[in-house]
Amino acid sequence: MSVIRLQPTTAVAMLGALSALALAGCSGSDAATERLPTWHNAQVNVVSRTSTAGGVVATTSLRPDGTLETAALDLATGRRLWAAPATMAGRLPGMGVSAPAVLRTAAGRTVVASVDPPERGAKGKWNASLVVRDARTGAPKWSRPVHSTFGPQRCGAYVCLSEHTALASARMVVLDPETGKTLWKLPGISEVEWSDQARVVLLRLAAKPVLEAYELRSGEMAWQQPISQALGEGVDMSGGWSFGAAGEDLIGYVAPYTSPRTKKTSAFGLFSVRLADGAINWMRPSVVRVYPSGSPGYAPVVRPVDQQGQYGGFARLDPQNGRVLGQIGAGDVPGAGWWLAFPARMDRIGFLLHGKPGSAYDLATGNAAPVKEQRGWSFCVTDPKPLELKGQPKGFYSVAAVCEFDLATGKRTETGAAAPPTWFTGSQDGWRLWRDEKGGLHAIKDATANAPGMYG
């Protein structure tokens, strides 16, 4: 997920832009989960999303001196494999700290692509370097000078990089991870929203944003779908966006953005397209995604907004067809001061009041539920502090994490659960990873089916 700019209003800041805030997580353990493979690495201070492939997990970690590093860990044990200095060059604060990309090459090797400080002796316009390393040893394979970039992304067995993002010559390049050779390129800024070994789906960021699918080997376009076809004219990606796959479909969310000049709010909402041909399956315009909640492709929870800017109730949608799986009405939403809290199955919605009794509703029936012994996962900290990053703009936050709360008391549970729910962590190859409130990285292998987490 990427977020370009947070919304200024209190309501949208609470309901639709918390993904850019740095919030901390907690974890515990119980007898049922201790038997599963699990680990905790406290040597890292995770501030970005994680990326996994080939038994390696990589993330961006904050050093005590305020600089960044790329940290690679063994997925099976959490053992630190290597670390190397990292930086950002031209990334916008609302997007969060960039993460490295881990991928398996066509030759079966696993590599990590990251943005490093510029190489010694670099002159002119180069502010950083894209470096691809062996995932296990950290040995550099090749590097590429970079002026400005939002960071590398995995696209199948290749590396995708939007570069020169601060210049009129911005472009996206598809690179061979073995050699660094440019295979093909596109003008403008693009972000990878989905890929497999044969095809990549890109969000082309332009005055009229569009989704486009390309054959990875040839660069030939397979299909194109303007976002306006799903959400209407006047789409502005400045409010933020997120995507998640659901089987053979891609679910997208575009947040609202109010222009400070015109005071008009852009088109926004949720929609689904077929990965095979880009055809629109369903659309839900004029709804905001709420946080914390699942990925748009796994367990989207939304709140409708009418033309006067008034918020309705809450609804969980089925990503396969966009239908409402459960909802509560606007009249059931309590007054100010609450934070959302969901149980593991997201069959109920809780309104957490810190240090006080909250309330809960059954999403299937819409009826009030007793809060006694009712637990829900919510953000641990509601007033996160921005990261003190050396040599970077102000306003970057680490990725969020969640804690388990007792809704009857508004306090954290004493023991908690072994891991946050799947709707938050997601799962890759049976592993689920999450950050605790001190920045440590946790993992558990519980054979959960592959699914995107809150951050994709």
Side-chain angles (χ1 to χ4, degrees):
M1 176 181 71
S2 297
V3 178
I4 295 297
R5 191 177 290 110
L6 299 180
Q7 293 299 299
T9 64
T10 300
V12 176
M14 177 178 292
L15 298 172
L18 283 172
S19 60
L21 300 182
L23 302 164
C26 67
S27 65
S29 61
D30 59 27
T33 56
E34 285 177 349
R35 293 188 294 269
L36 297 172
T38 184
W39 53 259
H40 168 214
N41 189 312
Q43 293 178 303
V44 292
N45 183 4
V46 175
V47 292
S48 78
R49 290 181 288 178
T50 58
S51 179
T52 61
V56 173
V57 54
T59 188
T60 303
S61 177
L62 178 63
R63 291 172 167 172
D65 65 356
T67 61
L68 299 171
E69 68 177 10
T70 299
L73 312 177
D74 179 72
L75 182 59
T77 64
R79 179 176 60 88
R80 188 183 182 104
L81 298 173
W82 54 269
T87 191
M88 294 182 289
R91 189 172 172 90
L92 304 177
M95 300 179 72
V97 177
S98 60
V102 187
L103 61 122
R104 294 278 286 177
T105 72
R109 286 180 280 270
T110 304
V111 299
V112 175
S114 60
V115 178
D116 288 24
E119 294 181 352
R120 183 173 299 178
K123 298 179 180 180
K125 63 181 181 180
W126 309 120
N127 300 311
S129 294
L130 174 71
V131 180
V132 169
R133 294 179 170 89
D134 181 275
R136 287 282 169 185
T137 67
K141 297 177 68 69
W142 54 267
S143 65
R144 179 186 182 94
V146 172
H147 172 272
S148 49
T149 179
F150 291 164
Q153 292 183 280
R154 174 174 60 205
C155 44
Y158 305 102
V159 176
C160 282
L161 181 76
S162 279
E163 59 181 7
H164 306 324
T165 51
L167 303 176
S169 58
R171 63 185 185 180
M172 193 207 75
V173 292
V174 179
L175 307 172
D176 184 331
E178 296 283 355
T179 65
K181 178 183 177 181
T182 301
L183 302 177
W184 50 276
K185 55 190 175 183
L186 293 172
I189 301 174
S190 301
E191 182 179 86
V192 176
E193 305 303 348
W194 176 90
S195 71
D196 62 11
Q197 295 304 105
R199 185 176 287 186
V200 61
V201 176
L202 303 173
L203 172 63
R204 303 290 303 279
L205 296 171
K208 293 187 176 181
V210 61
L211 287 174
E212 292 177 349
Y214 290 86
E215 303 299 329
L216 275 170
R217 290 188 178 181
S218 66
E220 180 180 354
M221 184 188 293
W223 54 260
Q224 182 185 75
Q225 184 61 263
I227 304 295
S228 60
Q229 289 295 314
L231 301 180
E233 296 296 331
V235 173
D236 189 325
M237 308 303 290
S238 299
W241 66 90
S242 57
F243 286 81
E248 301 301 316
D249 303 322
L250 183 67
I251 318 301
Y253 168 66
V254 177
Y257 173 69
T258 301
S259 168
R261 182 178 60 84
T262 66
K263 310 302 180 183
K264 293 183 178 180
T265 300
S266 62
F268 60 97
L270 209 66
F271 64 98
S272 168
V273 298
R274 287 202 303 254
L275 287 168
D277 57 12
I280 296 174
N281 296 307
W282 56 264
M283 58 194 77
R284 285 275 181 175
S286 301
V287 297
V288 294
R289 181 187 175 197
V290 302
Y291 296 90
S293 66
S295 160
Y298 183 71
V301 179
V302 299
R303 196 173 187 187
V305 184
D306 64 21
Q307 293 183 345
Q308 286 71 46
Q310 299 297 310
Y311 287 91
F314 291 84
R316 178 177 171 181
L317 305 181
D318 186 336
Q320 298 290 344
N321 51 39
R323 295 175 182 171
V324 174
L325 293 176
Q327 63 182 324
I328 66 167
D332 295 319
V333 179
W338 48 263
W339 291 78
L340 292 179
F342 290 99
R345 292 189 299 160
M346 295 190 79
D347 53 346
R348 293 185 177 185
I349 183 171
F351 296 97
L352 171 69
L353 296 175
H354 287 281
K356 302 177 182 178
S359 56
Y361 290 84
D362 187 292
L363 277 174
T365 64
N367 297 329
V371 294
K372 184 179 181 180
E373 298 183 357
Q374 183 68 226
R375 297 182 175 187
W377 291 86
S378 187
F379 294 124
C380 299
V381 179
T382 58
D383 58 345
K385 303 299 187 292
L387 296 170
E388 294 292 334
L389 297 179
K390 188 175 182 180
Q392 296 293 334
K394 301 294 184 180
F396 281 97
Y397 293 81
S398 58
V399 292
V402 290
C403 283
E404 190 180 49
F405 288 84
D406 183 341
L407 291 179
T409 64
K411 298 180 180 180
R412 295 189 192 184
T413 57
E414 292 183 4
T415 57
T422 301
W423 58 258
F424 179 78
T425 66
S427 182
Q428 294 295 321
D429 299 325
W431 284 94
R432 301 197 293 122
L433 297 103
W434 69 98
R435 173 191 185 273
D436 65 30
E437 55 189 322
K438 295 182 179 180
L441 190 62
H442 296 251
I444 185 170
K445 188 177 184 181
D446 56 8
T448 302
N450 283 0
M454 191 178 88
Y455 290 110

